[in-house]
Amino acid sequence: MRGGRLLIGVVIAIFSLISYYAMKEENPITGENQAVGMTTDQELALGQEAAPQMAREFGGLDPSPELQAFIDDVGNKLVRSSDARKTDWKFDFNLLGDGQTVNAFALPGGPIFITKALLSRMTDEAQVAGVLGHEIGHVVARHAAEQAAKTQLGQGLVGAVGVATSDGSGVSAGGQMAQFVAQMTLMKYGREDELQSDSLGVRFMSDAGYDPRALIDVMDILAKASGGSGQPEFASTHPDPGNRKALIENAIRERFPNGVEGVTRGRTISRN
């Protein structure tokens, strides 16, 4: 019986791997050959469906038309000036009314959000461009669809190990260990997604004429907001801001090998 369970487990694992690699396609913006678990239409529909609920969870949209217009202006400038304009994603920039939670995030297909709490900690337009450029990076790199494919693969491999190591009573210590490994693998990919979005953020904000060094300022803002109480990098899907600064600095040097020139910090943000 054990040999039979092992064979079934191997078959499940092989099928999961074949299915995963069948999802591979080249991303025209990043140039990567990535596995994606959703079609473009599915990503667009998911983002549109989830956007209202996500807004409600952060206090709804901010009531200030002036601040919302500012966010729209910066976000749309980033899209118009970069390769993001060549995609099918429906970018929509939203300022959330939450004045306590320092956060920004993107949904599949294009909806992008930044909280009032994060905006209030910024001093100029280029810092906002850094945050929005990073979130645009998540969308164009299709990180949500990529995570969906990895989740499907992880679930398949966990199931395969569970079957192969089962004692026939449904108990599988190997399955529990496989689940842990799968979780840590997904965390690693999550960190890599964040770092890739930082690099894309540098690229997009530079294309729009913003000083990419402002994204380093954003890392300092995030570090200060966490109060030094952030989770260890290995156990978090978001790398510590301090550890991301080196990658951002490298991306800036690659983009401006002779020093940063011809860029702007943009408008100053009033703290009133």
Side-chain angles (χ1 to χ4, degrees):
M1 290 296 293
R2 180 173 177 78
R5 291 193 298 272
L6 179 60
L7 178 60
I8 294 173
V10 170
V11 171
I12 294 173
I14 292 174
F15 178 77
S16 298
L17 288 168
I18 291 174
S19 299
Y20 177 75
Y21 285 104
M23 299 177 187
K24 291 277 188 176
E25 59 182 74
E26 183 177 353
N27 188 309
I29 304 301
T30 65
E32 289 186 342
N33 192 30
Q34 61 184 157
V36 291
M38 291 185 281
T39 66
T40 298
D41 287 342
Q42 287 173 329
E43 283 187 74
L44 289 167
L46 179 59
Q48 292 299 316
E49 182 178 350
Q53 176 61 32
M54 292 302 295
R56 286 193 293 270
E57 291 184 9
F58 288 87
L61 299 178
D62 190 85
S64 169
E66 293 81 11
L67 289 177
Q68 179 58 57
F70 173 70
I71 296 299
D72 287 336
D73 185 41
V74 176
N76 290 328
K77 181 178 179 180
L78 289 167
V79 174
R80 289 194 308 269
S81 305
S82 70
D83 287 339
R85 72 182 185 279
K86 302 176 183 178
T87 69
D88 294 326
W89 309 124
K90 307 300 182 185
F91 292 101
D92 178 33
F93 301 94
N94 302 275
L95 177 63
L96 298 170
D98 189 335
Q100 302 300 318
T101 307
V102 176
N103 200 9
F105 55 91
L107 297 179
I112 290 174
F113 299 85
I114 179 173
T115 63
K116 182 72 170 290
L118 177 53
L119 179 64
S120 68
R121 286 165 169 78
M122 297 182 181
T123 58
D124 59 47
E125 186 176 342
Q127 293 174 353
V128 178
V131 171
L132 298 183
H134 172 99
E135 300 305 333
I136 291 172
H138 280 304
V139 176
V140 301
R142 303 192 69 182
H143 287 154
E146 198 172 31
Q147 285 296 324
K150 292 168 183 173
T151 298
Q152 292 172 29
L153 173 62
Q155 291 172 343
L157 294 179
V158 167
V161 173
V163 170
T165 61
S166 173
D167 60 6
S169 64
V171 178
S172 171
Q176 294 175 351
M177 179 56 71
Q179 181 70 52
F180 173 77
V181 172
Q183 290 173 348
M184 296 311 296
T185 299
L186 291 176
M187 287 181 180
K188 177 183 177 183
Y189 285 131
R191 291 197 301 274
E192 290 175 351
D193 289 347
E194 292 298 323
L195 296 175
Q196 183 181 42
S197 289
D198 283 338
S199 293
L200 289 169
V202 168
R203 171 179 163 184
F204 295 154
M205 64 190 300
S206 298
D207 287 342
Y210 291 111
D211 187 341
R213 293 169 295 191
L215 190 53
I216 299 174
D217 298 341
V218 173
M219 296 301 107
D220 292 332
I221 291 170
L222 295 176
K224 184 176 181 180
S226 71
S229 60
Q231 291 179 310
E233 179 173 352
F234 180 74
S236 172
T237 57
H238 288 69
D240 181 82
N243 294 331
R244 293 164 62 182
K245 289 172 65 174
L247 181 139
I248 295 171
E249 291 167 349
N250 287 336
I252 293 172
R253 281 193 292 270
E254 290 179 2
R255 192 128 181 113
F256 297 92
N258 298 319
V260 179
E261 296 179 351
V263 294
T264 180
R265 299 289 300 208
R267 289 163 285 182
T268 299
I269 299 175
S270 174
R271 292 184 177 275
N272 295 332

